[in-house]
Amino acid sequence: MPVKDFDRNVFINCPFDDDYRQLLLSVVFTVRYLGYKPRLSIERADSAENRIDKIVSLINESKFGIHDLSRIVSTEENQHFRMNMPFELGIDFGCKKLKGGKWSSKQILVLEKERYRYQKALSDLSGSDIKNHNDDPETLVAVVRDWLVTTERIRAISGNRIWHQYNDFQAFLYDELVEKDGHDSVDDVQVSEIIMLMETWIRDRKP
Amino acid sequence: MSKKQNSQHVVKDDDGWAVKKGGSMRATRHFDTQQEAIEWARNVAKRQKAEFYIHGKDGRIRSKDSYGNDANPPKDKR
């Protein structure tokens, strides 16, 4: 069965907790702004579908994969390492290397917080191109933009200009969700709802 | 979708802070500190009777003030 939009789909493998929320939104915005389709495991709410099947399906449907390993390290004593992100990176990498056909054209971006920190936990990635973002959404916008532009050989406005557009979108969110809809904070609204508003905003406002 | 409005924004920009007009992709001015940017931009917003947004480092709205001449302006939200 043909995979719809394979060449435009970008699988985003990252945490969905509050701590990462603003980084996630900046990645999704940049991907969407450049005309690609972000694919996240939270997009499908079918509780009958098991999580790993959902992940495998998204990876199978996506030419691109963005994998953020910045949260695999536990921040507190007696906290477990978070292995979902490297596990899903492994599936994506395996798909690229072993499945053949168009899947061998898959492009993978691996992100970390600090340069070289991943090597302590995942030395198999030594020699791979890993980009760091320092937990800064402005940096992340530029990193994702540069990667897509280089990989796809497309022209696009600078990361700084996309960042300014992202800030305009945040003002729009505040007006719509807090002032019009009565939420106490934009942060009270689910990421999937924010992404829907993002798609509308980009469609209507992008120059 | 809300209608376009006259607005001024203080946003993080590289190592400093920028003031930009809503809808513009270019900064009007750059400042080393957020406080300097806020003071300058607030005066512009007052002169232009504009909405005034202060963004945090992550882009989120930290506060908004309205200097429009609407008969029923929105209250300041901080």
Side-chain angles (χ1 to χ4, degrees):
Chain A
M1 201 166 93
V3 177
K4 190 171 176 249
D5 295 332
F6 177 79
D7 290 333
R8 309 302 286 180
N9 285 340
V10 182
F11 172 60
I12 299 175
N13 168 24
C14 65
F16 296 113
D17 50 22
D18 292 345
D19 174 52
Y20 192 83
R21 181 180 165 108
Q22 295 309 315
L23 293 165
L24 168 64
L25 292 179
S26 66
V27 172
V28 173
F29 184 88
T30 307
V31 168
R32 196 74 204 168
Y33 195 86
L34 293 174
Y36 292 80
K37 189 173 181 190
R39 304 295 306 274
L40 297 98
S41 60
I42 52 172
E43 73 187 43
R44 282 155 41 173
D46 180 4
S47 53
E49 187 179 27
N50 88 36
R51 185 176 155 81
I52 190 65
D53 288 343
K54 195 187 293 184
I55 299 290
V56 167
S57 171
L58 290 173
I59 288 171
N60 186 52
E61 293 167 8
S62 304
K63 177 179 176 183
F64 304 93
I66 297 177
H67 303 265
D68 195 332
L69 306 182
S70 62
R71 298 298 190 272
I72 61 174
V73 178
S74 52
T75 52
E76 291 170 24
E77 208 175 337
N78 298 323
Q79 204 178 41
H80 289 291
F81 281 87
R82 300 169 66 176
M83 304 310 289
N84 279 339
M85 276 79 73
F87 179 65
E88 292 168 25
L89 166 62
I91 298 173
D92 204 6
F93 202 75
C95 187
K96 173 183 170 69
K97 293 290 183 186
L98 302 173
K99 191 169 180 181
K102 65 182 176 186
W103 289 275
S104 57
S105 69
K106 270 178 162 288
Q107 300 292 326
I108 294 173
L109 171 65
V110 181
L111 299 167
E112 236 292 29
K113 181 182 173 186
E114 298 162 22
R115 220 171 171 190
Y116 306 124
R117 190 179 66 159
Y118 68 91
Q119 287 181 349
K120 292 174 189 162
L122 207 56
S123 58
D124 284 356
L125 286 176
S126 297
S128 302
D129 193 15
I130 317 276
K131 303 292 183 192
N132 58 303
H133 53 62
N134 300 318
D135 279 350
D136 175 36
E138 184 185 5
T139 303
L140 193 46
V141 165
V143 165
V144 171
R145 180 262 176 214
D146 291 350
W147 171 70
L148 265 176
V149 164
T150 308
T151 304
E152 286 284 87
R153 297 181 181 175
I154 53 174
R155 268 198 80 173
I157 58 171
S158 69
N160 181 263
R161 290 192 178 181
I162 297 174
W163 170 246
H164 281 197
Q165 291 278 284
Y166 178 70
N167 276 268
D168 278 346
F169 168 69
Q170 286 286 346
F172 163 79
L173 271 187
Y174 182 89
D175 289 347
E176 293 294 310
L177 298 176
V178 176
E179 294 193 341
K180 277 193 188 167
D181 294 349
H183 293 282
D184 288 335
S185 162
V186 169
D187 297 339
D188 293 345
V189 179
Q190 291 198 5
V191 167
S192 52
E193 193 176 335
I194 302 256
I195 292 173
M196 278 195 305
L197 288 167
M198 189 182 282
E199 289 176 356
T200 308
W201 188 91
I202 290 172
R203 192 189 61 222
D204 293 349
R205 304 284 181 92
K206 188 178 168 186
Chain B
M1 183 73 58
S2 61
K3 64 181 180 183
K4 281 191 176 178
Q5 57 190 4
N6 182 17
S7 60
Q8 293 291 329
H9 301 250
V10 172
V11 302
K12 182 178 170 288
D13 198 55
D14 292 329
D15 292 331
W17 291 85
V19 176
K20 73 178 215 78
K21 190 173 162 57
S24 172
M25 288 191 268
R26 292 181 185 198
T28 316
R29 271 191 73 166
H30 287 90
F31 296 87
D32 289 338
T33 69
Q34 189 188 39
Q35 194 52 43
E36 289 172 300
I38 289 170
E39 285 169 17
W40 189 81
R42 190 183 296 282
N43 285 329
V44 175
K46 283 178 180 172
R47 272 203 313 275
Q48 296 184 351
K49 296 184 165 62
E51 305 296 308
F52 178 47
Y53 298 87
I54 301 173
H55 297 251
K57 282 183 181 173
D58 58 12
R60 270 184 298 186
I61 302 303
R62 244 185 59 192
S63 72
K64 177 185 175 185
D65 291 318
S66 178
Y67 297 112
N69 52 6
D70 189 333
N72 296 297
K75 291 176 184 173
D76 287 0
K77 295 212 174 192
R78 287 177 185 274

